Amino acid sequence: MAMREHTSLATRCMVGSAVLALMVVTGCDGGGGGVKDGAGSTSCKPASGKVALDYWSWVPGMQKAVDLWNQQNPEIQVKLKTTPAGNAGTYQNLSNALKAGKAPDLGQIEYDSLASFRLKDGLRDIASCPGVKDSGQKFADWTWSQVQFGAGGRDGVWAVPQDTGPMALFYRKDVFDELGLKAPTTWDEYAKDARHLKKAGKYITHFSQTDPNWFTGLLWQNKATMFERKGDSWKVTVDRPESRQVAEYWQKLIDDKLVATDLQGFSPALYKAWNDGEVVTWISAAWGYSTIRDNAKSTSGKWAVAPMPQWQPGEQQAGNWGGSTTAVLGGSKHPAEAAKFALWLNTDPKALEILNREGGLYPAAKAGASLPALKQPVDFYGKQKIFDVFAQASGNVDTNFTWGPTMTDTYRYLSDGTAGVIGGRTTLRDVLKETGSQSTESLRKQSLDVTG
């Protein structure tokens, strides 16, 4: 999920990222059972009668968009299943469903995980579906590139872009004002504020073991790309100086007990801590505005948004967390209708307005730039025009960050390692090293050429 600027967000944002990863997996076969007619099939003829589609998504308020579609399209009815965020359960459940031949027709998949599902033969090529090829111009260029495999999309189109996720700092302005603190502009200031807040009986934030995507966003801000690609060869760069700087910083906050380590992301316990004022900041993507709004209702008017703290004073760098697509999965018997719904969901002005208002999505579609909601003050955030902050952040995301083709594995290694950090059995520095080694082995198991 994500937000973007009223003019042109993502033409400047991440053009060189996931598309590089996707290009290399052309022709790889992950052997996903139960989807023999999926990724290898190019047929996309509309059905002759009524169609029922299953769709999995974790976007808040998605049901309202689905209801609108169902009202307007009696011949193509969509049944929504609300699921946990990708790495919190949906991706594993999708993988299991694909193996069993029981996957839904459509699923929400983040850009960084598309290649992993492609390797499992879990995505349907929708390039030949009516309207798909002509829709590329409706989306920010970089997002359309990320849903294609092969140079120039020669190996198909495998999803429809939905949104992006530039990051900023959500903070309890009332608490900061009460303690005489201002929004930190550097990470040094953030650590100092953490100590002030600890004395006041509060944590500046939580450090979750279940949000490896979040930690990757922190690495991204520091230009710590995790993979490099030359030709058809890959090099894993998870353990690099820029990454170590981030790891050592957060390790000290953990060691000094300045962040809450017993709270997981998107959990009732975390929401209670927000409501109670025990945890008072969250470094998150633009879509996070609705997460706080919907789960910390008692704090309405008390939050504000500021740019991410910087490693050096005066810098303007932002990370990116998330950004999703609507993918047609490999076993779908109705790819034409599924693709039609996916295109409507992510381009129709009314659908975009619903997903922005209810779910906090910042659309990948160019039409989303004119959404009135993105120009208005937000009551929950003290009438601040918070989307202006995310618009600025979107232009400060490093466009050279590269996803690896097995990011699902890399995230799992990061998550497992972080659990050991919180348990005191290892350090984030060691986790980076181990994740790098494991990710290298993961690439080799996929028969990809790995150097270094």
Side-chain angles (χ1 to χ4, degrees):
M1 308 178 199
M3 311 280 166
R4 46 168 266 188
E5 194 171 9
H6 317 315
T7 55
S8 176
L9 152 80
T11 52
R12 297 173 292 168
C13 182
M14 302 186 295
V15 69
S17 57
V19 62
L20 297 177
L22 301 181
M23 289 166 60
V24 76
V25 297
T26 300
C28 294
D29 181 9
V35 292
K36 294 180 181 179
D37 63 340
S41 174
T42 58
S43 175
C44 197
K45 296 181 180 180
S48 57
K50 290 186 178 181
V51 169
L53 302 173
D54 290 318
Y55 173 37
W56 291 8
S57 172
W58 59 84
V59 176
M62 179 62 77
Q63 186 64 57
K64 293 185 178 180
V66 171
D67 289 344
L68 178 60
W69 165 270
N70 286 338
Q71 291 170 12
Q72 297 178 351
N73 297 271
E75 297 297 312
I76 306 173
Q77 294 289 285
V78 176
K79 181 179 180 181
L80 174 70
K81 178 180 179 179
T82 300
T83 61
N87 283 300
T90 294
Y91 292 159
Q92 186 59 54
N93 291 337
L94 277 177
S95 295
N96 293 340
L98 285 165
K99 291 178 181 178
K102 298 180 179 180
D105 298 275
L106 301 120
Q108 180 177 347
I109 299 178
E110 292 160 295
Y111 297 110
D112 52 13
S113 295
L114 278 175
S116 295
F117 279 93
R118 175 64 181 93
L119 284 172
K120 299 172 184 176
D121 203 24
L123 304 179
R124 185 80 180 228
D125 178 7
I126 58 174
S128 62
C129 295
V132 171
K133 283 190 175 181
D134 295 335
S135 295
Q137 60 186 352
K138 297 181 181 180
F139 298 92
D141 292 344
W142 74 268
T143 62
W144 191 249
S145 296
Q146 292 194 61
V147 299
Q148 299 178 82
F149 291 168
R154 68 187 179 201
D155 192 30
V157 178
W158 302 82
V160 175
Q162 187 163 325
D163 67 300
T164 58
M167 298 172 72
L169 174 70
F170 294 90
Y171 70 104
R172 281 283 299 270
K173 189 175 185 301
D174 63 322
V175 174
F176 274 64
D177 288 347
E178 181 181 345
L179 297 177
L181 302 175
K182 296 181 179 180
T185 60
T186 66
W187 286 113
D188 285 342
E189 290 177 1
Y190 189 80
K192 291 178 182 178
D193 289 348
R195 298 185 184 280
H196 283 294
L197 289 162
K198 184 64 180 294
K199 292 178 181 178
K202 303 178 183 299
Y203 287 112
I204 195 166
T205 195
H206 70 291
F207 192 96
S208 172
Q209 71 187 57
T210 58
D211 291 329
N213 320 54
W214 169 79
F215 189 72
T216 300
L218 300 179
L219 299 179
W220 194 330
Q221 185 207 19
N222 203 31
K223 297 183 181 296
T225 185
M226 304 170 77
F227 294 85
E228 294 178 357
R229 179 175 179 270
K230 291 184 179 181
D232 289 336
S233 296
W234 286 92
K235 181 179 181 181
V236 179
T237 58
V238 174
D239 183 24
R240 59 187 300 155
E242 298 87 351
S243 302
R244 293 173 207 145
Q245 181 182 17
V246 176
E248 290 168 359
Y249 175 88
W250 285 94
Q251 185 67 54
K252 184 167 179 55
L253 293 183
I254 293 171
D255 291 344
D256 293 346
K257 303 185 186 307
L258 298 177
V259 294
T261 56
D262 59 344
L263 301 173
Q264 302 304 330
F266 310 98
S267 67
L270 175 61
Y271 301 150
K272 183 178 186 301
W274 284 345
N275 277 295
D276 295 344
E278 295 176 2
V279 173
V280 297
T281 80
W282 188 30
I283 303 151
S284 187
W287 47 260
Y289 100 94
S290 62
T291 305
I292 299 176
R293 178 199 66 191
D294 296 344
N295 296 287
K297 296 181 179 180
S298 67
T299 64
S300 179
K302 298 178 180 180
W303 291 83
V305 179
M308 285 184 76
Q310 301 295 306
W311 288 104
Q312 296 295 330
E315 287 185 344
Q316 293 184 332
Q317 300 293 330
N320 187 85
W321 179 11
S324 295
T325 71
T326 306
V328 178
L329 299 183
S332 177
K333 296 180 180 179
H334 303 290
E337 289 74 20
K340 182 177 181 179
F341 169 74
L343 288 171
W344 173 89
L345 181 67
N346 297 304
T347 59
D348 180 83
K350 290 184 179 179
L352 295 179
E353 190 275 330
I354 291 172
L355 296 183
N356 173 258
R357 183 185 68 240
E358 302 293 334
L361 270 64
Y362 201 94
K366 294 176 182 177
S370 60
L371 287 179
L374 299 184
K375 304 174 183 178
Q376 301 300 318
V378 181
D379 289 342
F380 186 89
Y381 292 90
K383 297 188 180 300
Q384 179 188 359
K385 293 183 178 181
I386 64 171
F387 300 144
D388 288 347
V389 179
F390 292 107
Q392 178 185 3
S394 70
N396 293 328
V397 176
D398 179 19
T399 61
N400 294 316
F401 194 89
T402 302
W403 301 120
T406 55
M407 284 303 301
T408 301
D409 289 344
T410 297
Y411 282 151
R412 185 174 71 253
Y413 305 144
L414 278 174
S415 184
D416 291 346
T418 302
V421 172
I422 293 174
R425 299 186 298 275
T426 187
T427 67
L428 287 172
R429 175 78 177 270
D430 289 338
V431 169
L432 290 178
K433 184 176 181 180
E434 185 66 18
T435 297
S437 298
Q438 292 172 313
S439 296
T440 298
E441 183 61 24
S442 176
L443 293 178
R444 287 177 174 148
K445 285 182 178 179
Q446 297 295 340
S447 300
L448 298 175
D449 184 22
V450 183
T451 61

